[in-house]
Amino acid sequence: MTRIIADISVSLDGFVTGPEPGPRNGLGTGGEALHAWAFSADPEDRRVLREATARSGAVVLGRRLFDVVDGPQGWNDETGYGAGEVGKPAFIVVTGSPPKSVRLTELD
């Protein structure tokens, strides 16, 4: 049987970013606090992130999230899905036509 596991850092009121997220401000204003644990050097935080990412068979991004992570202030070689842990392959769900160009071609 197929298992689907979803995980994300979320605030107690249900937000995953601060206010006003966008391509140049991916986590919104103050949103870094929600995800600080993922970038922590704490061994337990690193273990939890590594194990969760290792279970990922794929990463699914909506078009809005893709626009943020592929934008000029988005993910790079050091920061991506899993805060340095690799989760592949990525599937981008689009509601219209595919983007004309893509800066990130893989989640390495």
Side-chain angles (χ1 to χ4, degrees):
M1 178 189 303
T2 302
R3 286 181 12 167
I4 297 174
I5 299 171
D7 66 20
I8 191 167
S9 297
V10 63
S11 67
L12 292 176
D13 54 357
F15 291 95
V16 297
T17 70
E20 302 177 10
R24 297 197 180 277
N25 191 23
L27 293 176
T29 304
E32 294 83 3
L34 292 171
H35 307 280
W37 73 273
F39 298 98
S40 166
D42 179 78
E44 185 63 11
D45 288 343
R46 300 309 310 164
R47 182 191 64 75
V48 168
L49 184 63
R50 184 176 51 255
E51 289 177 4
T53 306
R55 287 193 313 257
S56 297
V59 178
V60 179
L61 308 173
R63 177 59 192 263
R64 182 171 163 88
L65 179 57
F66 174 77
D67 287 344
V68 169
V69 302
D70 194 56
Q73 304 299 316
W75 294 349
N76 58 34
D77 290 341
E78 289 81 39
T79 305
Y81 170 76
E85 300 292 332
V86 177
K88 289 189 192 182
F91 295 92
I92 294 95
V93 179
V94 296
T95 57
S97 58
K100 291 180 182 177
S101 66
V102 176
R103 182 177 61 88
L104 299 178
T105 57
E106 293 184 29
L107 293 176
D108 285 345

